[in-house]
Amino acid sequence: MQIIVETSHLMVRTWQEQDLASYAVIVGDENATKLKVFGSETPQCRAETELWRYQLEQDKQGWSRWAVIHKGSQQLIGYCGFSRYLNEIEINWRFLPEYRCKLITIEIIEAVVHVGFNQFGFNKIISFTSPSNHRTLDVMKQVGMTLDRIEGWGQCSALCYSLCS
């Protein structure tokens, strides 16, 4: 296990095998995804596939999306980290419902952004959301991101916010 960054309440670390069941609960939350796109894929299967991919990314490039642990309870409450989007670096996060848009999650997103700029040397970090996702838009603005562009995907639009080092 490698600790990526800590705040007073939360720790970001690499994934461990025992995270699988808790992560399946997070990816199975339809309120987080707003979609039922699993088909025959169970949240457990999706969680296992995603954790495998995150570990491969971590091994290959030294960064990925990491587990976010609440220090008081030692509970996995979500993930936060980076992925590639074309030639850019995107920050992604997802948290259990009771932690979404809370000050401690904003604190950890800011800490992960800091790691991206200062440890990994990213010059720009982007993040996408739908125009109707006001909670995520508020989080993006609170961490200092500004509207970079609007992209169209099929019949929907996505707002791309960015932050430069």
Side-chain angles (χ1 to χ4, degrees):
M1 174 186 76
Q2 177 187 359
I3 296 174
I4 307 303
V5 68
E6 292 185 75
T7 67
S8 57
H9 300 97
L10 302 173
M11 171 179 53
V12 175
R13 63 160 170 77
T14 53
W15 295 96
Q16 297 180 312
E17 191 172 336
Q18 69 259 25
D19 294 331
L20 184 58
S22 297
Y23 188 60
V25 171
I26 294 167
V27 300
D29 176 22
E30 74 176 64
N31 291 323
T33 60
K34 301 281 187 198
L35 299 170
K36 291 188 178 183
V37 295
F38 294 121
S40 62
E41 183 183 45
T42 65
Q44 181 79 15
C45 180
R46 181 176 176 189
E48 188 171 345
T49 301
E50 288 183 6
L51 291 186
W52 179 254
R53 183 181 58 201
Y54 300 161
Q55 188 58 51
L56 289 174
E57 291 171 349
Q58 178 71 32
D59 293 345
K60 182 178 178 181
Q61 52 200 25
W63 50 267
S64 185
R65 283 153 278 194
W66 301 293
V68 177
I69 307 299
H70 190 281
K71 286 181 171 180
S73 65
Q74 292 300 303
Q75 177 187 16
L76 174 72
I77 65 163
Y79 73 76
C80 188
F82 304 107
S83 62
R84 290 197 182 276
Y85 178 76
L86 302 174
N87 293 324
E88 296 180 289
I89 303 298
E90 180 180 5
I91 188 168
N92 315 107
W93 60 82
R94 181 181 290 172
F95 297 101
L96 289 169
E98 59 268 31
Y99 292 97
R100 289 186 198 133
C101 304
K102 303 293 184 196
L103 288 178
I104 61 173
T105 53
I106 291 168
E107 178 181 305
I108 206 67
I109 293 167
E110 290 175 333
V112 170
V113 164
H114 182 79
V115 167
F117 288 141
N118 295 295
Q119 185 175 334
F120 299 116
F122 302 150
N123 295 317
K124 180 181 179 183
I125 296 172
I126 64 168
S127 191
F128 288 96
T129 193
S130 74
S132 63
N133 191 339
H134 300 289
R135 292 184 322 188
T136 299
L137 284 168
D138 288 344
V139 169
M140 291 172 162
K141 291 173 185 175
Q142 287 182 54
V143 300
M145 298 183 115
T146 57
L147 182 62
D148 190 81
R149 62 185 182 270
I150 300 171
E151 292 195 9
W153 296 332
Q155 294 185 6
C156 65
S157 296
L159 302 177
C160 178
Y161 274 68
S162 67
L163 188 62
C164 295
S165 61

